[in-house]
């Protein structure tokens, strides 16, 4: 059942993200990017399979983990993706700030000097 | 071997780190750029030699066995791509000695240049899909930074457009990765290849493969999502747009070739027809877009789009000759396109502009430059005996053999239209008399011997490559045929990666 | 952000957070933790300082440029695998050295730890570089 809820959440995240990305305002655009990134992370988490097993940490005094454990790889993937997303968002924000400073506008429609 | 395989990653990383630490010493950074990139070229050439002689080379990083750790794999295609990236890296590094102003290196131009090359090389080296995603991001971050470094208005606008679609593409890539992992439980490409062939849910796999196609299609500027490229490539300084033009979209093409020959071949009747149709439309829209432009680098950017269509065309046909044609085309295109952007860079260096209206008369003022423009331009259009002729010939013969008349005729027509664009640049920039305003501007800019050496030596070297490939096409033809053979028989790749794991 | 409470609290919290970040860094090999979270925790200490005081005082507190921090961190991470390369093993293979302190108490130091220290420095440097560059924007309207 959780899968269904999570799928709905992913759908809402993607829809909201795409809607915001189509706005003309850059700030909304960046929020949209973030939402889509979160949607993708949640998608990995859900698609890799949900389970209620133990965390994949080796307990004290043993050398191999005690089964059953959950698959740690999706979490590692998501962690990496979150880190990259963090860096990307920070960069896009900095780009936005300097564009705003130079252009004096946050409207994407007004930034057309590079395409005709 | 152990030192050679990760070297295309370690050399740029080390150079990047040292340029970061010595960020105030521009001279040191310039030395590092040229030395590091040349070393990289030598190492890549050694790798290509080793791979062609001894077969696929594999390194399991951290000694973790194959499906669990990250494998670095070099087959012939990867090795060819690595050599290309080494060659372009070195050529543009030399060019940047004169063409790059003094303040951008202080803000990290060379740092990001090296990390960009590291990202590109990493994408070619890795045998793991998620690792490919990480290298894509490394490459993207560095290219964002390079694109907006200097914060000029056009650069920032171009940067935003570039960022928007590329970030969207990585989001698609990530989502596709997630679904694929959920279905197969692995992300090692060789392991994926074995699982996908026996997987039950083929319909879902085709869907996922389309998601990958969209993600890499955006990256390689294929139809219909190519708009970011011509809107942004003409904005940064000329060395940056030259290295972008040479390498970035080709990483997307490489990823497409890798995935759609190794993993997603089970439904080729469907997926590869879509690729072929996309290739045709990409060629057409690119070349028609170029016809409407009046700025040199913008025309060339639209031609990148149309040329990407040729590379994907070979993949869409999926015959040995067509795939060999794609590989040959990539080699030809990377060399020629970088060369043309470098020529545009020299013109911008002398006159401060690339607008066709403001230029003219270069055939009299700089006859050598005119010659070095003519060679790659005619090669791009596919005139014999230059490299582009053989590249196009292979692809068109391959499509006639498959009775794909439409794509063959499209490819021929696009070749003619390319010739039209190149003659337009030739007439406007080289042939017509120069407007007086530009010749005054040109007289003011100093033109030292050092500038001439740094600007002309990479252009000459690349033009020489084009001519050599054209005159003696046989060695490269044989190499791309062997590379295509390796791509069409994935068993060798799979065995090399997965069996290495069993060996202690 | 001129709150007296925040300023006073920051003076005491700063060393505690820094120590916690190093604790996270060191326990990271077999338990949750590691260079990445450690670096983020350390960065959060500096951010707290910046919120309580201002950018110049944070820069004084850091004492080194954040870009230098990134460079040193990258070099450390790269250097951690020099041994393995010279040994002829694949890159990133781990090596361990055990130091005996008493008969039943010994300390294992390995290349993953050196790598983690590099990551710690890089993460700290990158986070601070981003935050400082963004907070510089606020001054120009």
């Amino acid at each position: 059942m959780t899968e269904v809820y999570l799928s709905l959440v992913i759908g809402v995240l993607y829809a909201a993200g795409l809607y915001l990305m189509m706005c003309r305002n850059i700030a909304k655009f960046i929020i949209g990017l973030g939402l889509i990134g979160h949607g993708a992370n949640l998608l990995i988490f859900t698609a890799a399979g949900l389970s209620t097993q133990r965390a994949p940490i080796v307990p004290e005094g043993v050398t191999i983990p005690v089964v059953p454990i959950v698959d740690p790889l999706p979490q590692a993937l998501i962690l990496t993706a979150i880190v990259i997303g963090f860096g990307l968002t920070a960069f896009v924000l900095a780009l936005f700030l300097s564009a705003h400073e130079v252009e004096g506008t946050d409207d994407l429609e007004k930034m057309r000097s590079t395409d005709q | 071997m152990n030192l050679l395989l990760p070297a295309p990653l370690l050399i740029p990383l080390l150079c990047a780190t040292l340029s970061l630490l010595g960020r105030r010493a521009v001279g040191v950074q310039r030395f590092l750029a040229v030395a590091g990139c040349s070393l990289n070229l030598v190492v890549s050439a050694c790798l290509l030699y080793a791979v062609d002689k001894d077969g696929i080379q594999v390194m399991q990083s951290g000694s973790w066995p194959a499906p669990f750790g990250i494998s670095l794999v070099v087959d012939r295609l990867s090795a060819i791509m690595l050599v290309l990236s080494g060659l372009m890296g070195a050529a543009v590094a030399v060019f940047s000695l004169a063409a790059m102003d003094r303040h951008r290196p202080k803000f990290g131009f060379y740092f990001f240049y090296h990390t960009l090359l590291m990202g590109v090389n990493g994408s070619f080296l890795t045998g793991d899909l998620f690792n490919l995603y990480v290298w894509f991001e490394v490459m993207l971050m560095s290219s964002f930074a390079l694109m907006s470094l200097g914060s000029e208005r056009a650069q920032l606008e171009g940067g935003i457009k570039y960022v928007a679609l590329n970030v969207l593409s990585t989001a698609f890539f990530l989502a596709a990765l997630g679904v694929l992992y959920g279905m197969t439980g692995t992300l090692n490409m060789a392991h994926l290849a074995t699982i996908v062939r026996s997987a039950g849910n083929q319909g879902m796999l085709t869907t996922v493969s389309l998601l990958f196609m969209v993600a890499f299609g955006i990256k390689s500027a294929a139809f219909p999502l190519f708009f970011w490229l011509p809107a942004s490539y003409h904005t940064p300084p000329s060395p940056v747009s030259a290295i972008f033009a040479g390498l970035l979209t080709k990483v997307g093409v490489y990823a497409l070739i890798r995935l759609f020959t190794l993993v997603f071949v089970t439904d080729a009747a469907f997926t590869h027809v879509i690729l072929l149709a996309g290739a045709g439309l990409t060629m057409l829209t690119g070349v028609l877009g170029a016809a409407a432009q009046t700025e040199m680098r913008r025309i060339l950017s639209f031609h990148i789009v149309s040329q990407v269509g040729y590379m994907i065309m070979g993949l869409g046909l999926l015959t040995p000759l067509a795939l060999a044609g794609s590989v040959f085309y990539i080699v030809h295109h990377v060399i020629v396109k970088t060369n043309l952007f470098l020529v545009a860079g020299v013109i911008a260096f002398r006159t401060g502009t690339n607008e066709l209206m403001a230029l003219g008369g270069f055939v009299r003022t700089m006859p050598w430059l005119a010659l070095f423009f003519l060679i790659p331009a005619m090669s791009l259009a596919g005139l014999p005996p230059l490299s582009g002729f053989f590249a196009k010939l292979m692809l068109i013969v391959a499509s006639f053999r498959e009775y794909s008349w439409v794509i063959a005729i499209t490819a021929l027509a696009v070749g003619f239209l390319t010739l039209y664009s190149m003659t337009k640049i030739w007439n406007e920039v080289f042939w017509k008399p120069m407007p007086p305003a530009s010749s005054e501007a040109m007289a003011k800019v100093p033109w030292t011997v050092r500038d001439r050496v740094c600007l002309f030596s990479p252009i000459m070297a690349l033009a020489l490559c084009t001519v050599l490939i054209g005159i003696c096409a046989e060695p490269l033809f044989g190499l791309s045929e062997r590379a295509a053979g390796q791509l069409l028989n994935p068993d060798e790749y799979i065995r090399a990666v997965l069996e290495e794991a069993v060996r202690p | 952000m001129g709150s007296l409470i925040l300023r006073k609290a920051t003076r005491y919290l700063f060393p505690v957070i820094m120590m916690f970040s190093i604790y996270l860094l060191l326990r990271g090999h077999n338990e949750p933790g590691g260079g990445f979270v450690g670096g983020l925790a350390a960065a959060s200490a500096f951010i707290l300082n910046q919120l309580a005081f201002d950018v110049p005082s944070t820069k004084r507190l850091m004492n080194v440029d954040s870009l230098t921090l990134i460079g040193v961190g990258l070099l450390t991470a790269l250097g951690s695998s020099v041994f393995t390369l010279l040994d002829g093993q694949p890159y990133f293979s781990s090596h361990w050295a055990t130091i005996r302190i008493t008969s039943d108490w010994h300390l294992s130091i390995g290349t993953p730890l050196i790598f983690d220290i590099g990551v710690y420095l890089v993460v700290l440097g990158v986070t601070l570089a981003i935050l400082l560059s963004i907070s510089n924007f606020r001054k120009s309207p």
Side-chain angles (χ1 to χ4, degrees):
Chain A
M1 204 53 211
T2 326
E3 275 96 345
V4 178
Y5 294 136
L6 278 178
S7 322
L8 281 175
V9 174
I10 295 167
V12 170
L13 280 174
Y14 264 88
L18 283 173
Y19 175 77
L20 285 173
M21 283 184 87
M22 280 182 247
C23 289
R24 286 162 53 171
N25 184 314
I26 307 188
K28 286 183 186 161
F29 175 83
I30 295 172
I31 299 172
L33 277 183
L35 285 183
I36 287 190
H38 294 316
N41 289 338
L42 207 55
L43 178 66
I44 297 181
F45 183 67
T46 318
L50 302 174
S51 62
T52 49
Q53 284 142 357
R54 214 170 287 119
I57 296 171
V58 184
E60 197 81 30
V62 202
T63 49
I64 52 164
V66 185
V67 284
I69 52 165
V70 296
D71 182 4
L73 192 69
Q75 296 167 30
L77 301 186
I78 294 169
L79 179 64
T80 316
I82 288 174
V83 173
I84 292 174
F86 161 71
L88 222 70
T89 314
F91 176 81
V92 179
L93 268 177
L95 185 68
F96 163 58
L97 277 169
S98 41
H100 186 257
E101 216 163 72
V102 174
E103 308 262 344
T105 176
D106 59 357
D107 188 347
L108 281 169
E109 282 288 305
K110 291 192 180 128
M111 300 188 178
R112 355 192 26 148
S113 73
T114 66
D115 46 17
Q116 255 102 47
Chain B
M1 202 62 245
N2 276 320
L3 267 171
L4 207 53
L5 233 162
L9 299 176
L10 297 181
I11 295 169
L13 183 55
L14 189 65
C15 291
T17 313
L18 294 178
S19 335
L20 186 67
L21 289 175
R23 61 189 169 282
R24 289 190 191 83
V26 178
V28 174
Q29 293 189 34
R30 287 177 165 168
F31 169 76
L32 268 174
V34 175
C37 291
S38 314
L39 187 63
N40 205 357
L41 175 60
V42 173
V43 165
S44 311
C46 294
L47 256 178
L48 178 61
Y49 177 73
V51 169
D52 199 35
K53 201 164 70 71
D54 308 332
I56 294 174
Q57 306 283 335
V58 183
M59 191 195 90
Q60 314 289 358
S61 54
S63 306
W64 294 98
F68 307 110
I70 294 169
S71 323
L72 299 184
V73 192
V74 187
D75 67 347
R76 288 200 183 96
L77 176 66
S78 317
I80 292 171
M81 300 304 284
L82 283 173
V83 171
L84 283 176
S85 102
L87 184 62
M88 294 313 120
V92 177
V94 174
F95 189 82
S96 74
L97 295 182
M100 185 48 69
D101 49 57
R102 277 196 87 83
H103 69 263
R104 278 195 176 87
K106 287 184 187 143
F107 289 98
F109 167 73
Y110 284 111
F111 172 75
F112 290 117
Y113 186 74
H114 289 299
T115 51
L116 179 78
L117 287 178
M118 178 173 74
V120 170
N121 287 347
S123 317
F124 296 148
L125 270 171
T126 185
D128 182 281
L129 215 48
F130 192 80
N131 198 231
L132 181 67
Y133 167 78
V134 174
W135 288 123
F136 264 41
E137 297 287 0
V138 169
M139 195 174 84
L140 264 187
M141 296 271 216
S142 338
S143 59
F144 293 165
L146 284 176
M147 181 148 268
S148 52
L149 207 64
S151 299
E152 283 163 21
R153 182 173 172 184
Q155 278 186 292
L156 292 172
E157 282 189 18
I160 284 175
K161 285 157 196 166
Y162 180 84
V163 166
L165 271 171
N166 277 293
V167 171
L168 193 63
S169 125
T170 51
F172 276 129
F173 188 3
L174 193 60
L177 271 177
V179 179
L180 191 63
Y181 181 77
M183 290 173 65
T184 59
T186 183
L187 289 172
N188 181 298
M189 288 196 240
H191 199 207
L192 265 177
T194 56
I195 290 180
V196 159
R197 275 169 185 66
S198 54
N201 198 350
Q202 289 293 337
M204 189 68 192
L205 265 176
T206 308
T207 316
V208 177
S209 75
L210 289 182
L211 210 49
F212 276 109
M213 204 189 284
V214 172
F216 295 145
I218 297 177
K219 278 272 179 312
S220 53
F223 182 85
L225 292 165
F226 59 86
F227 299 101
W228 58 270
L229 192 149
S232 59
Y233 267 27
H234 61 279
T235 56
S238 46
V240 176
S241 50
I243 195 82
F244 280 17
L247 295 178
L248 291 195
T249 50
K250 264 52 75 182
V251 179
V253 176
Y254 166 84
L256 273 178
I257 294 183
R258 177 63 73 215
L259 274 191
F260 283 85
T261 57
L262 184 63
V263 183
F264 300 117
V265 283
T266 45
D267 200 4
F270 178 66
T271 49
H272 287 67
V273 167
I274 294 182
L275 280 173
L276 201 58
L281 289 167
T282 310
M283 284 183 219
L284 263 184
T285 43
V287 86
L288 291 178
Q293 296 299 323
T294 56
E295 206 254 23
M296 203 170 159
R297 278 199 281 173
R298 238 182 250 196
I299 297 178
L300 295 175
S301 308
F302 267 104
H303 276 293
I304 300 178
V305 177
S306 90
Q307 309 281 312
V308 162
Y310 284 98
M311 300 167 206
I312 300 176
M313 170 182 162
L315 174 64
L317 289 167
L318 206 67
T319 62
L321 182 65
L323 214 52
S326 278
V327 176
F328 196 104
Y329 207 102
I330 292 175
V331 177
H332 142 74
H333 169 85
V334 170
I335 294 172
V336 160
K337 189 54 86 178
T338 309
N339 204 356
L340 286 171
F341 268 86
L342 292 181
V343 171
V346 175
I347 289 170
F349 182 84
R350 296 299 310 274
T351 60
T353 179
N354 271 138
E355 288 290 341
L356 296 184
M357 292 290 284
L359 295 170
F362 273 96
V363 78
R364 276 172 290 280
T365 46
M366 299 175 82
W368 283 104
L369 187 71
L371 176 68
F372 292 129
F373 170 77
L374 209 56
I375 293 173
M378 293 301 113
S379 178
L380 191 74
L383 259 61
L386 298 163
S387 58
F389 171 72
F390 295 101
K392 285 205 169 80
L393 186 71
M394 285 163 84
L395 285 170
I396 290 169
V397 167
S399 56
F400 275 129
R401 279 194 193 159
E402 291 293 294
Y403 305 105
S404 312
W405 306 107
V406 181
I407 194 82
I409 291 165
T410 314
L412 281 171
V414 170
F416 281 116
L417 286 170
T418 311
L419 191 59
Y420 161 72
S421 280
M422 291 302 122
T423 42
K424 182 165 90 181
I425 297 181
W426 172 258
N427 281 338
E428 294 284 324
V429 177
F430 293 92
W431 204 248
K432 82 169 188 229
M434 180 175 249
S438 301
S439 37
E440 278 163 28
M442 213 167 125
K444 271 182 219 149
V445 182
W447 181 234
T448 59
V449 177
R450 181 178 169 279
D451 288 339
R452 282 174 216 208
V453 171
C454 295
L455 294 179
F456 270 104
S457 54
I459 293 179
M460 273 156 63
L462 294 182
L464 190 68
C465 288
T466 316
V467 175
L468 277 182
I469 292 174
I471 293 174
C472 31
E474 183 57 32
L476 183 60
F477 178 76
L479 181 64
S480 34
E481 246 186 349
R482 290 196 295 277
Q486 217 166 35
L487 288 172
L488 286 173
N489 298 311
D491 289 341
E492 193 187 340
Y493 187 97
I494 296 167
R495 225 179 317 117
V497 177
L498 294 183
E499 251 173 39
E500 186 83 359
V502 184
R503 227 167 57 197
Chain C
M1 287 288 179
S3 154
L4 183 68
I5 301 171
L6 186 62
R7 279 195 217 167
K8 272 288 167 211
T10 304
R11 286 199 197 287
Y12 296 105
L13 277 175
F14 185 83
V16 176
I17 299 177
M18 284 309 275
M19 254 151 61
F20 181 63
S21 82
I22 290 169
Y23 166 70
L24 280 176
L25 165 70
L26 292 179
R27 84 196 281 261
H29 189 65
N30 271 335
E31 280 171 279
F36 184 76
V37 255
L40 278 186
S44 72
F46 284 100
I47 293 163
L48 184 66
N49 188 75
Q50 189 189 320
L51 286 177
F53 301 98
D54 53 356
V55 178
S57 86
T58 314
K59 278 189 175 158
R60 267 201 306 284
L61 192 67
M62 270 162 61
N63 214 358
V64 277
D65 197 11
S66 52
L67 295 179
T68 314
L69 221 53
I70 301 174
V72 172
L74 279 174
L75 268 188
T76 317
L78 257 177
S80 73
S81 268
V82 168
F83 308 111
T84 53
L85 274 185
L86 296 180
D87 216 29
Q89 278 180 316
Y91 200 63
F92 282 144
S93 303
S94 51
H95 275 224
W96 290 91
T98 309
I99 304 165
R100 277 193 174 284
I101 295 172
T102 62
S103 55
D104 52 14
W105 218 77
H106 56 84
L107 189 65
S108 293
I109 295 180
T111 49
L113 181 66
I114 303 177
F115 183 78
D116 254 0
I117 293 173
V119 173
Y120 178 93
L121 293 175
V122 172
V123 170
L124 179 59
V126 169
T127 317
L128 290 176
I130 290 171
L131 281 157
L132 289 178
S133 73
I134 288 184
S135 58
N136 274 344
F137 272 105
R138 216 172 24 184
K139 271 178 264 151
S140 53

